[in-house]
Amino acid sequence: RAGQQYYVLNLSVDNTNGADVSPGLGFDYIRLIVNGADRPPNANTLPYTFKAGAKSVGGRVVYIAPVGIKTISIGFLYQLSAGQATYSTDL
């Protein structure tokens, strides 16, 4: 679409918990935040369960957002309550 581009994030996840973590499908728990609005991914290969002690579990998350974003914010939705943890990085 005009004025939009793909943002592809390659993530590596470590589960340092002593138990399996099942946040759900990647479309359910990770968001790109643009101008204060959450956007779900257009594509996602992150697993829905991370085994206890798992290291470097890879996945790719793809978003469509406005061209020229210099800093992105990613929100990880909480599982058992409202809200999210937000992390930002420069591109």
Side-chain angles (χ1 to χ4, degrees), residues 59-81:
R60 179 174 287 167
V61 185
V62 180
Y63 297 96
I64 296 175
V67 172
I69 294 175
K70 301 293 184 212
T71 300
I72 61 168
S73 295
I74 300 295
F76 293 90
L77 303 177
Y78 297 138
Q79 290 181 310
L80 303 175
S81 63

Side-chain angles (χ1 to χ4, degrees), residues 12-85:
S12 178
V13 178
D14 293 339
N15 179 7
T16 59
N17 293 306
D20 292 354
V21 175
S22 297
L25 297 174
F27 296 97
D28 295 337
Y29 66 84
I30 186 170
R31 299 287 188 263
L32 177 68
I33 303 166
V34 178
N35 298 325
D38 290 1
R39 294 175 181 234
N42 292 77
N44 187 345
T45 63
L46 284 172
Y48 58 88
T49 297
F50 298 94
K51 298 287 185 191
K55 294 189 184 302
S56 300
V57 177
R60 179 174 287 167
V61 185
V62 180
Y63 297 96
I64 296 175
V67 172
I69 294 175
K70 301 293 184 212
T71 300
I72 61 168
S73 295
I74 300 295
F76 293 90
L77 303 177
Y78 297 138
Q79 290 181 310
L80 303 175
S81 63
Q84 64 188 11

